[in-house]
Amino acid sequence: MATKPIVGLHHVTAIASDPQRNLDFYTQVLGLRFVKKTVNFDDPGTYHFYFGDDAGKPGTILTFFPWPNANRGTLGAGEVSHTAFSVPVSAIEYWEQRLEANDVRIEAKHERFGKVVLEFSDPDGMKIELVGNAEAAAVESAFANPRFADVPDEVAVRGFYGVTLLERNLAPTESALKLMGYSKVAEEGRRVRFEVAGDALAHRIDVVVDPAAPRGRMGAGTVHHVAFRSEDYADQKEWLKVISESLGVSPVMDRDYFRSIYYREPGGVLFELATDIPGFAVDEPLESLGEALRVPAWLQPHYDQIDKALTPITLHKAVKAEAKEEVQA
């Protein structure tokens, strides 16, 4: 077993359609920070967006491949069905009102494992949850809350709570999670919860078992992959050896802001193990994260061509005093 345990989620990557609509929803409605505007390394003519807390801390990052005119995906077995964020328990009423004020329909409000959960969809149909979590109060609000969001610090999103996997069978997926250090901690109906000892706000994986669930189809509104945290490069290499003994795994890939290995758990969900280092401030100041297009060094000679080909977007920067400014992004 690797010497350093996985402590939870690093990021979740999903597919969107309209880039501006995606940007507006996650910054203006959910109040996340636009941490990085770069390109899809495998398709440099399209964006790769990163949203998170003010510093882009692992465990807070939701990323998107926004492909204009992408067809809507279909949720099914072997996919992430819901992505959940933590908010303070006292913030649930605020978020009910904020979502309704922004014409976001709350699809369900219920209690799960003793915590209140709000369920809704983003503009592409991706299922999002806000979970009232007492542990969220322990996160320093000034760090968690993006400087350009109009969401008050005391009710701001505090990073991930966890994700839900939809699977036909539990045992193969449970085996993969156990390999990664996750343990079964609770069951509620067809839902089984797994946790690791680590980051209090991003260390949960729920598995919902439905033997009759059809296979899904990747597209806008679906999650492409889930990434877990590896502290550094040496740690990641150890995990590469451990995982390769049971599952097929990719070589290490340099993603500029982290290094990654990819492997698919037996139920079909694509997993990634991403390093905490070097982080999102490696190529631009913390104060201006996400405001300029960044491309990897190997694409730098084509920067102007790439920039002109991308769909123009505008980053709206809210100010807590209710004044607003716009930055052409």
Side-chain angles (χ1 to χ4, degrees), residues 9 11-15 26 61-64 73-85 112 120-122 124-129 160-168 173 177 191 204-208 213-228 263-265 267-272:
L9 298 176
H11 66 268
V12 174
T13 293
I15 300 171
Y26 285 97
I61 301 296
L62 179 60
T63 99
F64 285 92
T74 304
L75 176 63
E79 292 186 352
V80 173
S81 65
H82 294 73
T83 300
F85 289 97
R112 179 190 301 152
F120 54 96
S121 298
D122 80 357
D124 286 298
M126 179 178 168
K127 300 299 182 182
I128 302 293
E129 296 175 331
F160 290 123
Y161 184 79
V163 295
T164 299
L165 315 183
L166 177 60
E167 304 283 7
R168 288 175 175 170
T173 299
L177 292 174
R191 180 180 297 269
R204 300 169 185 85
I205 301 291
D206 284 2
V207 179
V208 170
R215 283 289 171 185
R217 178 175 55 84
M218 198 64 66
T222 63
V223 171
H224 186 271
H225 64 267
V226 179
F228 299 85
Y263 52 103
R264 200 172 291 277
E265 58 88 19
V269 180
L270 181 61
F271 283 174
E272 174 184 354

Side-chain angles (χ1 to χ4, degrees), residues 62-120:
L62 179 60
T63 99
F64 285 92
F65 300 131
W67 287 313
N69 304 314
N71 292 326
R72 180 72 64 93
T74 304
L75 176 63
E79 292 186 352
V80 173
S81 65
H82 294 73
T83 300
F85 289 97
S86 275
V87 298
V89 174
S90 59
I92 290 294
E93 183 177 355
Y94 168 87
W95 281 104
E96 286 185 274
Q97 296 173 357
R98 183 177 179 89
L99 292 171
E100 291 172 357
N102 283 277
D103 297 321
V104 178
R105 184 174 69 87
I106 296 173
E107 297 164 8
K109 178 183 179 182
H110 56 85
E111 188 171 295
R112 179 190 301 152
F113 295 118
K115 291 180 170 57
V116 176
V117 180
L118 296 180
E119 296 184 18
F120 54 96

Side-chain angles (χ1 to χ4, degrees), residues 9-328:
L9 298 176
H10 185 284
H11 66 268
V12 174
T13 293
I15 300 171
S17 53
D18 183 82
Q20 185 67 58
R21 186 175 65 175
N22 179 257
L23 175 63
D24 289 346
F25 182 81
Y26 285 97
T27 57
Q28 294 188 277
V29 178
L30 288 194
L32 304 182
R33 187 173 188 187
F34 193 34
V35 171
K36 191 66 62 177
K37 178 175 67 167
T38 185
V39 294
N40 185 332
F41 286 11
D42 299 318
D43 183 13
T46 60
Y47 285 115
H48 192 175
F49 289 167
Y50 291 77
F51 303 96
D53 74 353
D54 196 62
K57 181 180 180 291
T60 74
I61 301 296
L62 179 60
T63 99
F64 285 92
F65 300 131
W67 287 313
N69 304 314
N71 292 326
R72 180 72 64 93
T74 304
L75 176 63
E79 292 186 352
V80 173
S81 65
H82 294 73
T83 300
F85 289 97
S86 275
V87 298
V89 174
S90 59
I92 290 294
E93 183 177 355
Y94 168 87
W95 281 104
E96 286 185 274
Q97 296 173 357
R98 183 177 179 89
L99 292 171
E100 291 172 357
N102 283 277
D103 297 321
V104 178
R105 184 174 69 87
I106 296 173
E107 297 164 8
K109 178 183 179 182
H110 56 85
E111 188 171 295
R112 179 190 301 152
F113 295 118
K115 291 180 170 57
V116 176
V117 180
L118 296 180
E119 296 184 18
F120 54 96
S121 298
D122 80 357
D124 286 298
M126 179 178 168
K127 300 299 182 182
I128 302 293
E129 296 175 331
L130 296 180
V131 181
N133 181 14
E135 296 168 336
V139 177
E140 185 181 350
S141 61
F143 177 75
N145 194 37
R147 64 193 67 194
F148 300 126
D150 63 357
V151 177
D153 290 357
E154 62 271 18
V155 294
V157 168
R158 301 291 205 273
F160 290 123
Y161 184 79
V163 295
T164 299
L165 315 183
L166 177 60
E167 304 283 7
R168 288 175 175 170
N169 301 295
L170 177 63
T173 299
E174 181 176 4
S175 178
L177 292 174
K178 183 178 180 180
L179 175 70
M180 296 162 59
Y182 280 80
S183 300
K184 184 191 298 185
V185 296
E187 294 186 48
E188 193 172 271
R190 296 185 301 166
R191 180 180 297 269
V192 183
R193 174 156 292 175
F194 297 85
E195 293 183 356
V196 286
D199 191 326
L201 300 186
H203 72 298
R204 300 169 185 85
I205 301 291
D206 284 2
V207 179
V208 170
V209 181
D210 182 359
R215 283 289 171 185
R217 178 175 55 84
M218 198 64 66
T222 63
V223 171
H224 186 271
H225 64 267
V226 179
F228 299 85
R229 292 177 63 184
S230 180
E231 185 173 316
D232 54 36
Y233 306 140
D235 172 53
Q236 186 181 66
K237 287 182 179 179
E238 290 186 29
W239 273 109
L240 176 59
K241 293 177 183 177
V242 171
I243 294 168
S244 66
E245 293 175 359
S246 301
L247 301 169
V249 61
S250 77
V252 175
M253 299 182 185
D254 190 346
R255 299 308 193 189
D256 274 14
Y257 312 110
F258 43 85
R259 292 183 185 175
S260 301
I261 58 174
Y262 299 87
Y263 52 103
R264 200 172 291 277
E265 58 88 19
V269 180
L270 181 61
F271 283 174
E272 174 184 354
L273 190 63
T275 57
D276 283 358
I277 58 174
F280 294 104
V282 68
D283 61 356
E284 59 184 333
L286 174 64
E287 292 75 18
S288 57
L289 286 178
E291 294 184 18
L293 177 67
R294 301 291 170 175
V295 301
W298 56 275
L299 285 175
Q300 198 62 44
H302 309 289
Y303 183 97
D304 291 341
Q305 179 183 355
I306 292 170
D307 192 28
K308 290 178 182 178
L310 292 167
T311 303
I313 57 172
T314 300
L315 173 62
H316 303 277
K317 295 168 63 178
V319 179
K320 295 204 186 328
E322 297 186 355
K324 295 183 179 180
E325 65 173 307
E326 294 183 357
V327 175
Q328 189 67 37

